[in-house]
Amino acid sequence: MAESGAMRTETFPVGVVGVGLADETRQIPAGEPPPLPPNAELAVIGKPHPRLNGRDKVTGAIRFTVDVAPQGMLFARILRSPHPHAEVRAIDTSAAERDPQVRAIVHAIALDDPAHAVVRYVGQPVLALAATSMSAAEEALRLVRVDYRPRPFVVDLDEAQRPESAKVYDAGAAPGSSSGELAAQAGLPVEGNVRGPARASRGDVARGLAAADVLVEGEYRTQVQTHCCMEPHGLVADWRPDGLTVHFSTQFTAGVRRELANAFDLPLDKVRVVVDGMGGGFGSKSTLGNYGRLAVALSRQAGAPVRLTLTRPEEQMDSGNRPATHQRIRLGARRDGTLTAISVESHGTAGVGLNAGVGNFAQSIYDCPNFASAQYDVFTHAGPGSAMRAPGNTPGAWGLETAIDELAERVGVDPLALRARIDPSPVRREERRIGAEKIGWARRHAAGADSGPIKRGVGMAQSLWGANVQTASSIEVRILRDGSVEALSSVQDIGSGIGVVIAQTIAETLGLRPEQIAVRVGDTNYPPGPPSHGSRTTASITPPARVAAWKLLRQLFAEAAPALDAASSDLVARGGRIERRSVPTRGMSFAEAASLIKGDMLSATETRSEDYGGFRRTMGEAALAQQDLGGVQFAEVAVDVETGIVRVETIVAVQDCGRPMNPLLLESQIHGGVLMGLSYALYEERVLDRNAGRMVNANLEAYKVAGPREVPVIEVEVLENLQGRSATDAYGIAEPANIATAPAIGNAVYNAIGVRLRSLPMTPMAVLAALGKAPTRS
Amino acid sequence: MAKGGWSRRDVLSRSVYATAGVGAAQLIASAAAAGTAAPPDASAHDVVLHVNGIDRAVRIESRATLAEVLRGPLALTGTKIGCNRGACSACTVWLDGTPICSCMIFAVEVGARAVTTIEGLARGTELHPVQEAFIAHDAMQCGFCTPGMALSAAALLEQNAKPTAEDVERAISGHVCRCGSYPHVVAATLAAAEARKG
Amino acid sequence: MRNFAFGRARSITQAASSAGLVAEAMLAPDGGARSQDFRVVKAGGIDLIDLMKEGLLAPAEVISLAGAPGLDAIAPTPEGGLAIGPMVTLARLAADRMVGERYPALAEAAGESASPQIRAVATIGGNLLQRPRCWYFRAVEFRCLRKGGGHCYAISGENRYHAIFDNRFCAVVHPSTSATALVALGAEIELTGPDGATRRVALEDFFVGPDTDVQRENDLKAGELLTAVLLPRAAGLRMKQMKLAQKESFDWPLADVAVVLDLAPDGACKRASIVLGAAAPTPWRARAAEAVLRGKVVEAALAAEAGRAALEGATPLSGNAYKAPMFEALVKRAILAAAAS
């Protein structure tokens, strides 16, 4: 190792394990540990270890936010607009105020400002109150009188674009920015309900289209999908004179803490955000939200803890959603399928909010010299969208991967062979090879070839997602004098099992087993960790965990070396012992070594450093690694052409995430992405009655989420794609696993029935209509 | 978020007087909010529920569902409420060994029947084979639907010692899991069945 | 939901005397809350609790039928049929040996309904009397025709899951899959009044269409209790129940069909009963399809013709025309499966 100031040079194995690794050198911070070899050579990393809180989850012992009930807790409910668009002229809370069980009332609408005294979607919060029981709160809501003057409204994406439609926002009043994970481009023009376009381009798309031998043009639609977190949004806010504590079902404790400090003018050290069990977020629980602000204000007013939890209908109407899109895609290609131009125009609706785009999928995935996209947000009087598992790229992949499949058909090239010509990624090439063999691509027949009412087909699609990293991600590791080891970070476990992954990282470094590491997360009393969105948790927190453990080990070695007659550099930690590398019989147990610590403990806190060789892009605390994440998915379906019912029989998912840390948990995550993608492809749809502007399936009965009997055979393979970019080289999986599923299924449906569906969901109604057996809605 | 929302200066602070009287803690603990003057007796009941082998005496309103009573005054929060309409099965408990949705039954109706919640599946610290298998096969992610799933899986094994994958899928068909744990739940349940045979 | 007084019926007549009409109470915007003496009886309560949680129904008293003797037996009748008590759960019905052997269509209908948790509690009586699942009907925010308002929101709105027959005024579909099978089997029900007097009515005639009265689904009177479901002799009958739903996990059917065939020794169809569920506000007899089969031997082409005939008179709405090809396929398949059973 050559040292050079604050950096030193190291050599990393780079490439896909099993395909070919080459040595590459990197400059890494001098204090960081040496490169990790491939997983096969590691003791604990890359092994299928069960999650550490598994026992708590299967016994019901783990406490979710909804389970937290401090002494004296009050129950809050929100009064919501019954109108999709209305002026709020007066609010009379006098009867509710007279109710002795009502302890606080907080308004969400500022009546004194006519520009703000408006509700713009059914379910928009008007006020919240806290009472001594849930039933008292519900009854008190009924006592509130609100004088609304309804206004015209529009909930349909197409209709909202017409100039004569009702306007969601008066001129100048439309939101210009967004909070949370997604950042809408600022300063875009707004005309009527249409904001945009946000443009991206390279080359000259008009010339590219003109130069094409073949043009594929299509319109593709995706529906509004809701998150359906099984644990509703909620918090228990406890405002006390000495500080604010909030138990919050959140994907970002540290971020919410900052939001609270800002919103309520509190110093950070007087705000604590805590979460233990967290029942799903999928992108909808990254911010404080209106409901969060209301609950804290109620607690402050009442001088008591307040729990505010959304009911399932509220979840469906007002906790965020994946926006709907309408995409017009044009592909220009040569006769062999190589691309000359990609043009994407999309109009999406996130209701009253922003970020209804189609991501960077079409822009980034394939070799194509000429590209242009214009993405528009269309305001409608409906609940605001929020990030949802691979926002943008999920609907974007539906459009583009379907269009590419149509191109393959047009030029008579097998879809896999076409990808080989246009896809520059060697990782996805390997993924295609593996997946094609597993699904049996060779036996794929021509579209619609099966006889009989049940027709089978095979299709594939690809996934592209930025490898996100949050640089402001810190973790403290401690070795205590009795040999116990702790790790502490505010990072939250939203179900991905980051606890055991952190434990594996530290255990590998210290020569211990994961169950010997006590991992404490989900509390802003600990060093601030990353958010758990954008599939960035593992990539953000495992490198500093390894670095911190590594630095502690150096200190431990320094303590143990004299007792072993060794130099520190001669010591290794393995199998629970500290040993001399050259004389393994000379050693002591880890606990013995720890007993030599002079204080009570050794502690190191580390923050995520830059990727070795730098990030591709940095935006504040968020960064993008140089190499994107990806995956390829294959689907086999059976379509009953007499009834329109699509059954997915098999999904093969081949994904990459840098260094896979825990194949058991990765498989769970991939199952989750695939099933959410399958459900998006076939069943889910927010249905808004256009005459009332109200969601008519605001439940889990008529809003259809794939259940156990819809599950296909799911074969998973994860590549070990080493890049030598951080102390663990581990990246995320949750979103990449969700992107390719719907178009893979759609392309399989085409292969089965020879008729192309371009809109989601592919319900039996849609299939029968596509087959010409029943008209679409008039 | 919608404009016309929220800033600190918009919070209209109103102090709501509260009578010291009917203690809030008492109301919460008994889950029997007074509300308007209730009809005598028949709208509130002193019952003894047999939960996880223990008799629990509790005063409840007629309208209190079993799920609410378990989670509230009985402080057994392992049972979750996901939809409150019987559409997701997160609130599954056993009634005399049969899985039901505890949000769709009034606590007052339970009577002498034995209620088993997730807290009662293990024997002390000894986990049920289904629970062991769920851990080993990672049959969970966020864990919110897990208690109900585990109870459905365990009930199946009482009825059918050698289930097929399809049997398991049918037994858990009422459960909604957004994280996608179904494949691992099926694998774990089949493994637990194998383990019990040995 | 609002609180209520809870009691237990000790006898059938006591229960009947407590049986207020849910359909009537739901005509009031407050679901009957204002009435101090509005009482309902409760079986499994799956439908009742849903209506109460939605704020559509607010009885002052709920009287449980659990424990009232004589309501949960499954027993052969002197005529060689089967009498099923209204408190028999769907789970028990699906698992019962006599039902499975003699009336497999009913066992299948009951066993494929809802989820295991719901089937363990939901009763056949409650299942037959349950109110529709129409999402406007189930939302207190929409005061629709069936609830005493002036308008059917489905006809001009979102109607993908709604009726393709008899849908001029109201587009609900009858929600009971078991009813489809029972009507096809020619079942009767027994109703008992507070004085113990009973009446029997063919189940098919018990259901009431919107033309007769859009504000209720059946002929149940105040003070009446459904006390038995009576099945005629089934020996020699061929039958099949089939349903189509988007999901196989817990989902309401998009279409369901029950076919019961009485075949002669030479295979000719003496009598056919073809009933469509999720098609109309009441279980819908596809008489034209039945006529196609009469006197002929069932085979593929005939079954297909019957499938087409089953759609005679269909008047699809803007969003549910897909049900026509679906029923056509389902009827054809159910006929063939019944003939082969």
Side-chain angles (χ1 to χ4, degrees), chain C residues 125-144:
Chain C
N127 184 268
L128 292 175
L129 297 174
Q130 71 179 297
R131 305 223 63 196
R133 305 306 302 183
C134 167
W135 43 34
Y136 298 104
F137 179 76
R138 290 272 157 179
V140 72
E141 296 88 4
F142 292 97
R143 186 119 194 286
C144 73

Side-chain angles (χ1 to χ4, degrees), chain A residues 202-528:
Chain A
R202 62 175 179 268
D204 181 339
V205 87
R207 188 172 301 169
L209 288 168
D213 299 323
V214 169
L215 278 178
V216 169
E217 294 190 47
E219 289 188 37
Y220 306 87
R221 286 183 184 266
T222 64
Q223 77 286 39
V224 170
Q225 182 184 29
T226 60
H227 297 70
C228 298
C229 307
M230 287 315 294
E231 183 197 15
H233 287 57
L235 67 160
V236 179
D238 193 357
W239 185 291
R240 289 171 188 261
D242 57 343
L244 169 66
T245 302
V246 177
H247 287 262
F248 207 150
S249 184
T250 184
Q251 297 175 242
F252 194 7
T253 57
V256 166
R257 182 199 199 197
R258 282 197 293 253
E259 285 191 77
L260 285 167
N262 274 335
F264 291 93
D265 223 1
L266 293 168
L268 278 174
D269 70 333
K270 290 268 189 278
V271 181
R272 181 181 177 208
V273 179
V274 186
V275 64
D276 182 15
M278 194 281 188
F282 312 111
S284 67
K285 292 182 181 174
S286 288
T287 62
L288 175 60
N290 264 351
Y291 70 102
R293 262 176 282 252
L294 289 168
V296 173
L298 287 168
S299 176
R300 178 174 63 179
Q301 196 186 113
V306 170
R307 181 200 290 162
L308 195 161
T309 311
L310 299 193
T311 63
R312 184 55 54 185
E314 291 178 296
E315 279 291 303
Q316 293 287 39
M317 286 193 298
D318 191 31
S319 69
N321 53 69
R322 186 193 298 284
T325 70
H326 174 201
Q327 307 168 42
R328 293 178 179 85
I329 297 179
R330 296 160 77 199
L331 301 179
R334 297 190 197 87
R335 250 171 249 301
D336 67 351
T338 51
L339 296 166
T340 61
I342 298 176
S343 160
V344 176
E345 184 187 297
S346 77
H347 288 81
T349 182
V352 298
L354 295 172
N355 294 307
V358 290
N360 73 334
F361 192 86
Q363 180 176 356
S364 308
I365 191 168
Y366 295 126
D367 271 340
C368 180
N370 306 299
F371 172 85
S373 68
Q375 301 189 33
Y376 295 86
D377 275 315
V378 179
F379 297 117
T380 54
H381 290 103
S386 72
M388 182 171 180
R389 201 160 192 165
N393 279 19
T394 299
W398 168 255
L400 188 77
E401 287 294 273
T402 307
I404 291 286
D405 201 66
E406 295 193 59
L407 173 63
E409 192 79 8
R410 279 285 296 282
V411 296
V413 173
D414 174 286
L416 282 184
L418 178 59
R419 298 313 193 291
R421 288 175 200 177
I422 62 176
D423 188 351
S425 163
V427 177
R428 285 193 296 270
R429 179 173 63 232
E430 175 64 6
E431 289 168 341
R432 288 193 298 274
R433 186 192 69 76
I434 294 169
E437 195 181 302
K438 284 182 183 290
I439 197 82
W441 187 263
R443 57 182 175 79
R444 182 173 177 267
H445 53 53
D450 272 357
S451 56
I454 312 288
K455 300 193 189 300
R456 285 190 167 70
V458 177
M460 56 78 62
Q462 310 204 114
S463 167
L464 173 91
W465 189 245
N468 295 308
V469 175
Q470 195 88 351
T471 52
S473 302
S474 302
I475 185 163
E476 180 187 352
V477 182
R478 300 173 177 172
I479 301 177
L480 279 65
R481 187 117 65 94
D482 65 353
S484 54
V485 180
E486 288 183 303
L488 308 101
S489 175
S490 84
V491 69
Q492 50 289 308
D493 180 358
I494 64 167
S496 57
I498 192 61
V500 69
V501 173
I502 288 171
Q504 287 173 272
T505 305
I506 294 168
E508 182 75 49
T509 310
L510 300 180
L512 298 171
R513 294 184 321 273
E515 52 273 27
Q516 294 177 287
I517 317 296
V519 180
R520 309 194 199 289
V521 295
D523 189 335
T524 55
N525 276 354
Y526 305 146

Side-chain angles (χ1 to χ4, degrees), chain A residues 156-180:
Chain A
D156 179 74
L157 170 59
D158 292 345
E159 212 181 299
Q161 294 173 56
R162 295 196 199 110
E164 68 272 15
S165 278
K167 300 294 166 283
V168 178
Y169 293 104
D170 291 333
S177 61
S178 49
S179 63

Side-chain angles (χ1 to χ4, degrees), chain A residues 12 28-29 31-37 42 45 505 508-509 538-539 541-548 550 608-612 659 661 724-731:
Chain A
F12 287 80
I28 80 171
E32 294 209 2
L36 282 174
L42 296 175
I45 287 178
T505 305
E508 182 75 49
T509 310
T538 303
I541 204 65
T542 57
R546 179 164 180 242
V547 173
W550 173 255
R608 177 58 154 94
S609 59
E610 203 185 26
D611 264 9
Y612 306 148
R659 175 187 302 276
M661 297 295 285
R725 294 291 179 195
S726 80
T728 57
D729 224 9
Y731 294 92

Side-chain angles (χ1 to χ4, degrees), chain A residues 42-55:
Chain A
L42 296 175
V44 164
I45 287 178
K47 309 299 173 282
H49 203 280
R51 61 186 73 217
L52 296 179
N53 54 13
R55 191 188 176 97

Side-chain angles (χ1 to χ4, degrees), chain A residues 640 642 689 705 709-710, chain C residues 136 247-249 332-333:
Chain A
D640 185 329
E642 290 182 354
D689 173 276
V705 176
R709 295 178 70 181
E710 284 64 67
Chain C
Y136 298 104
K247 291 164 46 178
E248 288 183 35
S249 310
K332 173 187 71 173
R333 294 177 187 183

Side-chain angles (χ1 to χ4, degrees), chain A residues 55 57 67 73 263 301 667, chain B residues 8 28 80 125 141 184:
Chain A
R55 191 188 176 97
K57 288 184 176 178
D67 302 326
M73 183 178 79
Q301 196 186 113
E667 190 178 77
Chain B
R8 283 195 312 284
I28 292 161
K80 307 302 180 199
T125 53
Q141 288 175 55
H184 282 174

Side-chain angles (χ1 to χ4, degrees), chain C residues 15-314:
Chain C
S17 67
S18 306
L21 266 187
V22 169
E24 200 174 289
M26 284 180 64
L27 298 177
D30 66 359
R34 218 148 305 185
S35 162
Q36 298 288 43
D37 55 11
F38 174 51
R39 278 193 225 101
V40 295
V41 293
K42 176 185 180 295
I46 298 300
D47 197 37
L48 201 74
I49 291 180
D50 191 64
L51 293 170
M52 291 170 73
K53 285 184 176 185
E54 292 294 344
L56 292 165
L57 186 67
E61 265 184 68
V62 174
I63 307 297
S64 170
L65 297 173
L71 292 175
D72 66 352
I74 302 178
T77 62
E79 297 83 13
L82 207 60
I84 303 170
M87 290 295 283
V88 172
T89 62
L90 297 182
R92 225 181 107 209
L93 201 57
D96 186 82
R97 197 183 42 81
M98 283 189 284
V99 174
E101 275 172 11
R102 302 191 212 171
Y103 310 94
L106 176 60
E108 219 172 311
E112 285 292 312
S113 298
S115 68
Q117 284 86 340
I118 298 296
R119 293 195 292 271
V121 171
T123 65
I124 185 62
N127 184 268
L128 292 175
L129 297 174
Q130 71 179 297
R131 305 223 63 196
R133 305 306 302 183
C134 167
W135 43 34
Y136 298 104
F137 179 76
R138 290 272 157 179
V140 72
E141 296 88 4
F142 292 97
R143 186 119 194 286
C144 73
L145 199 58
R146 189 165 288 270
K147 290 181 289 186
H151 177 61
C152 170
Y153 295 91
I155 288 172
S156 56
E158 293 294 334
N159 51 46
R160 67 190 67 186
Y161 299 133
H162 291 70
I164 54 170
F165 295 100
D166 197 12
N167 54 12
R168 266 186 314 152
F169 308 124
C170 168
V172 298
V173 292
H174 194 274
S176 169
T177 310
S178 297
T180 314
L182 286 168
V183 167
L185 287 165
E188 279 190 317
I189 54 166
E190 177 191 83
L191 301 153
T192 305
D195 54 356
T198 63
R199 66 179 176 113
R200 285 194 183 186
V201 112
L203 185 62
E204 187 176 345
D205 299 332
F206 177 67
F207 291 116
V208 160
D211 276 8
T212 308
D213 187 345
V214 75
Q215 292 175 351
R216 58 195 169 99
E217 295 81 54
N218 55 58
D219 193 46
L220 188 73
K221 314 237 186 288
E224 273 191 323
L225 200 68
L226 193 160
T227 44
V229 176
L230 301 156
L231 285 160
R233 242 175 87 84
L237 291 177
R238 319 283 187 105
M239 61 183 76
K240 182 68 184 169
Q241 165 92 25
M242 276 182 143
K243 79 169 198 194
L244 275 177
Q246 255 181 281
K247 291 164 46 178
E248 288 183 35
S249 310
F250 201 171
D251 198 6
W252 294 92
L254 300 172
D256 81 83
V257 172
V259 173
V260 178
L261 302 175
D262 188 4
L263 300 181
D266 65 353
C269 182
K270 293 194 303 195
R271 203 169 41 92
S273 193
I274 301 175
V275 183
L276 311 187
T282 57
W284 190 257
R285 284 289 294 274
R287 295 185 193 278
E290 294 170 358
V292 165
L293 297 186
R294 216 168 289 128
K296 308 225 184 60
V297 175
V298 170
E299 44 74 48
L302 190 74
E305 194 192 328
R308 286 188 294 274
L311 274 311
E312 231 171 82

